[in-house]
Amino acid sequence: MFEHPAFDDHEQLIVARDPESGLRALIGIHSTVLGPAFGGCRMHRYGSEDAALEDVLRLSRGMTYKAAICDLPLGGGKAVIIGEPKQDKTPALLRSMARVIDGWHGRFVVADDVGTTLADLAVMRDVTPHTAAATLAAQQPLAVTAYGVLAAMRAAVRRHLGWDSLSGLRVAVQGLGNVGFPLCGYLRREGAELVAADLDRRRADRAHAAFGARIVPPDQVLDQEVDVLSPCALGNVLDEVTAERIRARIICGGANEQLSRPDIDRRLQDRGILYVPDYVANAGGMIDFHQERLDDRPEAVLRAVARIGEITTQLLDEAALGGRTCKELADARVRERLAAGRRARAA
Ligand code: NAI
């Protein structure tokens, strides 16, 4: 376990089982150095327990990185429930998961993720207060993650393509769910031209009807001749094969863990493709959670999330000076902040 490539000094990892409700779950707390761990609860029919373990470890670590790069007083964690949401998700199973989370007394705060919804969090709140979206304002569909991706994309387009506007920008969006669909809406409003794909044909049809997106088969969306590719489905889409195929000049999307290996980022850069680190572009939900505790008015939340644009610009400017990729620089920043946090905690 400690040698697992994704373990990366996790503070805690627990296996949760409840035969009554059918719960089979893993919860990782990667770091609480900067604050209580915050992360989504994913429900997915994993091919193996190893795949679930890999997912929870990588996603939990990613949450630490999101918080640190945005200077939030939060840490990183993640929960995964092994199961098919449509078949296996029941109130009893969610309450069972919530009991496990409650046992940490706030050391881990759970949010929604792929396979879970705000309504599921409401069920969990019967058992534990340690959930996101607990206020009425948080129930408003602000699409904060998509808004953050938009801010990061705007910054990347300005720096890498020299364009001040997104009008006429050609963007391919992979995945039209909670993140990809509203992102299409934001982009369309700015005058971008959309190409999109989803495994679920109804979602694709909806994006075509709402935003005029040109729909392509899911296995062709990465190959499109566009300015920006926006992965908004699942992770690991960028590997040694796809990195050679992609024709976009910028990759900026909401999906977590887009790189199958850390060095893929370098390969992309060698091909002149700018990769905006996923954990920078998709930090909107985490910023939202923090901001809501300070001032939960929609305009305050969106202003806070828009900071992702400034963070991206700073990273791009500094990375260009030092010959590093944006991700190499961001990773180094995060490590510095965690080291400083550990020193402060030990003092
Ligand atoms: P979702 O489940 O609402 O939507 C994902 C969509 O991608 C689904 O419509 C699915 O059919 C589609 N899809 C899956 N594989 C595909 C493929 N190979 N090609 C085309 N379409 C495919 O999920 P959601 O919430 O939109 O999240 C998307 C990604 O963003 C995930 O990686 C998630 O971890 C990440 N994320 C989501 C946040 C949120 O606020 N919802 C926050 C931060 C990250």
Side-chain angles (χ1 to χ4, degrees):
M1 175 63 57
F2 298 110
E3 305 310 318
H4 192 290
F7 186 73
D8 190 47
D9 290 335
H10 259 71
E11 285 179 15
Q12 245 177 332
L13 174 68
I14 74 149
V15 177
R17 171 75 178 132
D18 174 16
E20 299 302 316
S21 66
L23 180 73
R24 291 196 304 149
L26 300 172
I27 307 172
I29 294 187
H30 177 251
S31 172
T32 55
V33 166
L34 301 176
F38 175 81
C41 176
R42 177 170 289 195
M43 185 160 182
H44 186 65
R45 184 206 287 271
Y46 288 95
S48 66
E49 287 173 13
D50 279 350
L53 175 65
E54 166 109 18
D55 217 25
V56 77
L57 290 174
R58 290 181 64 187
L59 291 166
S60 154
R61 175 179 181 271
M63 295 306 285
T64 301
Y65 274 56
K66 265 180 229 194
I69 203 67
C70 297
D71 253 330
L72 300 173
L74 293 169
K78 196 83 183 185
V80 303
I81 300 177
I82 301 171
E84 166 57 47
K86 287 199 182 92
Q87 284 165 22
D88 305 327
K89 195 165 61 182
T90 60
L93 180 126
L94 293 168
R95 281 197 291 269
S96 179
M97 186 71 183
R99 275 192 294 278
V100 180
I101 291 163
D102 198 54
W104 266 310
H105 307 292
R107 196 170 134 75
F108 176 62
V109 180
V110 69
D112 52 323
D113 193 69
V114 177
T116 61
T117 62
L118 290 180
D120 298 334
L121 293 184
V123 174
M124 289 186 175
R125 264 197 301 284
D126 288 345
V127 177
T128 181
H130 304 300
T131 77
T135 66
L136 208 56
Q139 313 287 333
Q140 307 298 319
L142 284 179
V144 283
T145 302
Y147 195 72
V149 174
L150 179 78
M153 199 182 291
R154 206 180 266 128
V157 164
R158 193 176 301 125
R159 281 292 177 273
H160 198 60
L161 305 181
W163 297 6
D164 280 329
S165 147
L166 302 187
S167 179
L169 187 79
R170 296 166 307 164
V171 186
V173 181
Q174 180 193 41
L176 298 163
N178 293 321
V179 180
F181 188 80
L183 177 65
C184 286
Y186 286 133
L187 286 167
R188 188 63 211 133
R189 238 169 283 157
E190 305 248 350
E193 292 170 22
L194 299 167
V195 182
D198 198 293
L199 294 179
D200 182 339
R201 184 67 216 191
R202 281 166 312 175
R203 290 189 169 185
D205 289 344
R206 202 162 58 111
H208 173 71
F211 313 121
R214 180 165 64 81
I215 303 304
V216 294
D219 61 356
Q220 290 174 21
V221 68
L222 300 179
D223 304 330
Q224 297 299 309
E225 182 137 11
V226 286
D227 302 303
V228 181
L229 170 65
S230 189
C232 295
L234 292 180
N236 289 325
V237 281
L238 306 174
D239 58 27
E240 47 275 41
V241 176
T242 55
E244 301 304 324
R245 265 176 28 200
I246 285 165
R247 293 193 277 172
R249 296 183 60 201
I250 294 170
I251 301 175
C252 177
N256 279 311
E257 297 298 328
Q258 292 168 29
L259 302 178
S260 68
R261 282 203 330 245
D263 59 341
I264 300 292
D265 163 50
R266 208 6 89 193
R267 280 195 186 213
L268 291 166
Q269 170 135 321
D270 291 345
R271 292 192 57 225
I273 300 170
L274 167 65
Y275 169 70
V276 178
D278 43 17
Y279 64 84
V280 177
N282 72 13
M286 206 168 196
I287 296 177
D288 175 27
F289 171 70
H290 174 63
Q291 177 61 35
E292 276 169 12
R293 295 189 295 182
L294 306 173
D295 177 353
D296 66 1
R297 287 170 305 142
E299 58 274 25
V301 169
L302 293 179
R303 207 168 36 245
V305 172
R307 267 194 55 233
I308 290 176
E310 292 154 36
I311 294 166
T312 307
T313 301
Q314 281 166 12
L315 288 169
L316 292 177
D317 287 351
E318 204 176 312
L321 289 176
R324 286 191 277 185
T325 70
C326 185
K327 180 174 176 298
E328 286 163 354
L329 177 68
D331 287 353
R333 277 273 161 78
V334 168
R335 283 193 293 269
E336 282 158 23
R337 286 181 188 163
L338 290 176
R342 274 190 215 100
R343 280 195 301 276
R345 197 163 67 166

